[in-house]
Amino acid sequence: RRQSMNAPYNPTITATATSTAAPPGLSVRQQPSASAANTQRFGVQPKVRLMTGTGDELRTSGVEVSVALKTPGHTLRGKLTATTDTEGVATFTDLSLRGIRGNNVLMFTASGYDGDTSQTVTLTAGPAVSIAASSPTVLGGQVGSVAAPPPTVMVTDSSGNPVSGVSVSLADFLS
């Protein structure tokens, strides 16, 4: 004879929840000027927006966003932090670069957010601030003839970058 037994089925289920959502981040929404003159404010200042991990705009005010140079070699000047407004946008207002001509990338960061970087900003020569002889300063020759070799000068900005297009006049100081 066969006997059957009915026992309640009570399995133990263990579940672990994992999140694959990306963390919130920053997005450069207005790129800085593609080129900037040494020591001069960028013509176009950057704006950075807060974004959700899924790429939607995050409208949160009061988040401090910092900016720095991604690679060393130049000096980033101005107010290096900006606070987001009610739309979640941080607007920088007076950034400039100082140094020898070359390329730079700005890096934006905020606590709890993935950062973002700007397009390349090319540093060019700034306003002329000095002039120096780049050929012998004592010239000789016949009166009324062209000096050979002709005198040359170097015009530079505050970081020593050569500045082109500056009109220079030489005068005879022996009168």
Side-chain angles (χ1 to χ4, degrees):
R1 156 168 163 203
R2 196 161 191 216
Q3 208 172 346
S4 69
M5 192 166 158
N6 289 330
Y9 182 68
N10 191 7
T12 302
I13 298 175
T14 304
T16 304
T18 58
S19 173
T20 57
L26 304 176
S27 177
V28 179
R29 288 305 167 112
Q30 179 171 290
Q31 292 288 341
S33 302
S35 67
N38 186 40
T39 71
Q40 303 300 297
R41 288 183 179 176
F42 298 165
V44 177
Q45 294 288 323
K47 292 183 180 183
V48 178
R49 172 172 278 293
L50 301 179
M51 304 296 286
T52 66
T54 57
D56 295 321
E57 294 178 352
L58 185 58
R59 289 170 165 53
T60 302
S61 63
V63 176
E64 186 174 82
V65 178
S66 298
V67 61
L69 291 176
K70 187 172 180 184
T71 53
H74 293 98
T75 302
L76 182 62
R77 298 173 14 164
K79 188 170 187 287
L80 304 181
T81 59
T83 304
T84 57
D85 59 19
T86 57
E87 294 297 310
V89 176
T91 302
F92 292 85
T93 59
D94 65 348
L95 298 179
S96 66
L97 288 167
R98 179 179 173 91
I100 301 301
R101 294 181 300 185
N103 294 331
N104 299 272
V105 173
L106 306 181
M107 180 174 52
F108 299 92
T109 58
S111 180
Y113 294 83
D114 281 350
D116 197 12
T117 55
S118 72
Q119 68 183 2
T120 298
V121 179
T122 301
L123 181 62
T124 61
V129 297
S130 67
I131 184 171
S134 57
S135 66
T137 56
V138 176
L139 302 172
Q142 296 289 332
V143 173
S145 65
V146 175
T152 57
V153 296
M154 175 69 74
V155 178
T156 58
D157 69 10
S158 62
S159 294
N161 294 306
V163 178
S164 62
V166 177
S167 178
V168 176
S169 298
L170 300 177
D172 177 7
F173 294 105
L174 301 173
S175 310

